[in-house]
Amino acid sequence: MNLKIALLAGDGIGPEVIAQAVKVSDAIATKFNHTIEWKPALIGAIAIDETGVPYPDETHEICLNTDAILFGAIGHPKYDNDPSAKVRPEQGLLKMRKELGLFANVRPTFTFPSLIDKSPLKRERIEGTDLVFLRELTGGIYFGEKGRRDGGETAYDNCVYTRHEVKRLAKKGFELAMNRSKKLCCVDKANVLETSRLWRETVQSMEKDYPEVEVSYEFVDAVAMRLVQWPSSYDVLITENLFGDILTDEASVISGSMGLMPSASLGEKTSLFEPIHGSYPQATGKNIANPLATILSAAMLFEDAFGLKDEATAIRAIVNKSLAEGIVTEDLSEGEQAYGTSEVGDWLAKNI
Ligand code: IPM
Ligand code: MN
């Protein structure tokens, strides 16, 4: 198979971790007789520096004319403490999500047997954790009308959802639940928010189409608590954009390092695969960032974008082997010898 993949390395540690995912993907392609055509494109702070905008038209064209997108990270500290900045790297990511219609963000949280004791949570709490968040990605407070009034003294961000938006996300949730343990949790704040009441009402109306799926409805504050108390009690969780942003960062630490969790953003036109972690500016250029989340995102890409399950399984297997053998970056080495970002990538590519 010939795979045409847009490569958006982005900012911070993005280029370093993406380079390792490319090494590993190329090794997989050789092993399974595929060819990969990588199409690099600019996004984020680096795109602002070079073109003035965070998501240039040329990048959009490349994303539309490839089969899938592999994405690194976005963000630069020079924008973080400048609330008056007119152009920000994150706008590029949001624009890309919206324009490519990437409405369903799949963020799994699972544990690795060899890393159970690296988690900040106790072993008996997290053993068996294997859950997936489906975060709505192109609506809600991120995209509602925002602004200032009263001469700048009042600010507002509107949270808006249509039934259609809720339905298409929930449909993915029900389908995913059917392929897993048939348990679905709708996370909302229906005791306070009107948008949450629309979510709940819409999901309730869909229950009859999936009689085998057991659906629960929980408030987001309670989920935030239960997620660290009994993460293994959850399976598929669906939620709106901002709740999903917050809860998936919380969930990502369960596995032991934020540098481990991959994600997929699915849409009608294309799909995008990226690590959950951000641009980690403090580590940029030091060859210390953990590349596994990006490499596991490439595994999701093989499976979800091309249906290449064996290829994905081979990547996951070699990642597990590297963890078991201690071929790990400093976030996981605990005083033992740490490997560099590119050394981990080399080891994985060589051993595939
Ligand atoms: C994420 C990030 C983004 C978000 C930022 C960078 C805009 O935190 O992908 O979770 O809030 O969606
Ligand atoms: Mn986030």
Side-chain angles (χ1 to χ4, degrees):
M1 197 184 234
N2 181 43
L3 323 181
K4 223 162 131 186
I5 305 173
L7 197 60
L8 276 52
D11 303 322
I13 58 168
E16 294 166 63
V17 292
I18 280 284
Q20 312 320 312
V22 167
K23 276 181 204 166
V24 170
S25 302
D26 283 339
I28 286 287
T30 307
K31 187 180 163 87
F32 288 86
N33 280 318
H34 302 301
T35 48
I36 304 183
E37 230 179 295
W38 298 105
K39 301 274 180 196
L42 293 171
I43 190 159
I46 174 104
I48 300 177
D49 291 346
E50 292 194 21
T51 71
V53 292
Y55 183 57
D57 292 345
E58 199 181 304
T59 300
H60 186 57
E61 276 306 303
I62 290 177
C63 290
L64 284 177
N65 291 304
T66 41
D67 307 310
I69 305 160
L70 188 63
F71 178 81
I74 212 167
H76 192 284
K78 74 180 170 203
Y79 299 94
D80 289 349
N81 294 319
D82 178 11
S84 66
K86 288 273 174 298
V87 198
R88 319 180 66 86
E90 290 79 4
Q91 289 163 345
L93 183 60
L94 299 181
K95 188 159 186 251
M96 175 173 68
R97 287 174 179 167
K98 194 73 174 175
E99 291 192 359
L100 294 174
L102 302 170
F103 67 88
N105 185 209
V106 186
R107 295 190 164 183
T109 289
F110 44 87
T111 52
F112 299 84
S114 53
L115 298 182
I116 287 268
D117 295 316
K118 302 244 161 47
S119 172
L121 302 183
K122 293 193 189 86
R123 166 183 280 271
E124 62 270 23
R125 298 267 164 173
I126 59 166
E127 258 170 350
T129 297
D130 179 12
L131 58 87
V132 188
F133 273 97
L134 263 177
R135 165 189 176 196
E136 201 292 325
L137 205 56
T138 54
I141 198 167
Y142 274 62
F143 292 95
E145 195 192 328
K146 56 178 88 248
R148 297 276 180 117
R149 56 174 183 255
D150 309 332
E153 293 309 295
T154 305
Y156 56 90
D157 297 275
N158 283 350
C159 183
V160 182
Y161 268 108
T162 65
R163 194 180 298 276
H164 165 73
E165 288 172 317
V166 179
K167 221 171 172 161
R168 67 180 178 180
L169 193 273
K171 185 166 179 283
K172 287 228 180 285
F174 275 107
E175 287 166 0
L176 187 60
M178 283 301 286
N179 286 326
R180 293 173 51 103
S181 63
K182 302 194 169 72
K183 253 173 63 185
L184 181 71
C185 177
C186 174
V187 184
D188 62 31
K189 189 74 187 170
N191 50 348
V192 178
L193 303 177
E194 198 53 41
T195 42
S196 285
R197 289 193 271 269
L198 177 70
W199 270 76
R200 207 172 263 221
E201 179 187 306
T202 306
V203 176
Q204 275 168 349
S205 77
M206 295 169 77
E207 278 188 40
K208 60 176 183 327
D209 301 326
Y210 304 89
E212 289 170 64
V213 178
E214 181 198 322
V215 188
S216 64
Y217 298 86
E218 293 181 33
F219 297 140
V220 59
D221 45 354
V223 174
M225 183 180 69
R226 225 157 58 88
L227 203 53
V228 287
Q229 276 181 323
W230 297 116
S232 59
S233 66
Y234 288 113
D235 194 58
V236 179
L237 302 102
I238 55 174
T239 193
E240 64 94 56
N241 204 342
L242 181 62
F243 296 162
D245 178 46
I246 298 167
L247 293 178
T248 54
D249 263 30
E250 185 190 354
S252 76
V253 301
I254 293 171
S255 65
S257 168
M258 213 197 182
L260 291 168
M261 289 298 126
S263 79
S265 299
L266 313 176
E268 273 127 22
K269 300 188 196 104
T270 186
S271 43
L272 175 145
F273 300 82
E274 62 170 312
I276 281 188
H277 63 68
S279 58
Y280 194 11
Q282 308 86 315
T284 303
K286 294 188 180 156
N287 196 35
I288 57 171
N290 188 338
L292 294 184
T294 313
I295 290 166
L296 292 168
S297 299
M300 285 181 95
L301 182 153
F302 278 102
E303 184 165 0
D304 297 348
F306 298 102
L308 299 173
K309 208 169 165 36
D310 292 344
E311 288 76 348
T313 305
I315 296 179
R316 292 182 188 122
I318 201 69
V319 164
N320 274 325
K321 189 156 189 254
S322 72
L323 291 171
E325 296 192 13
I327 318 295
V328 294
T329 42
E330 65 173 33
D331 50 316
L332 296 173
S333 70
E334 275 193 342
E336 304 283 304
Q337 185 211 344
Y339 286 71
T341 309
S342 66
E343 284 66 46
V344 171
D346 289 340
W347 189 94
L348 293 166
K350 192 175 111 226
N351 285 279
I352 272 167

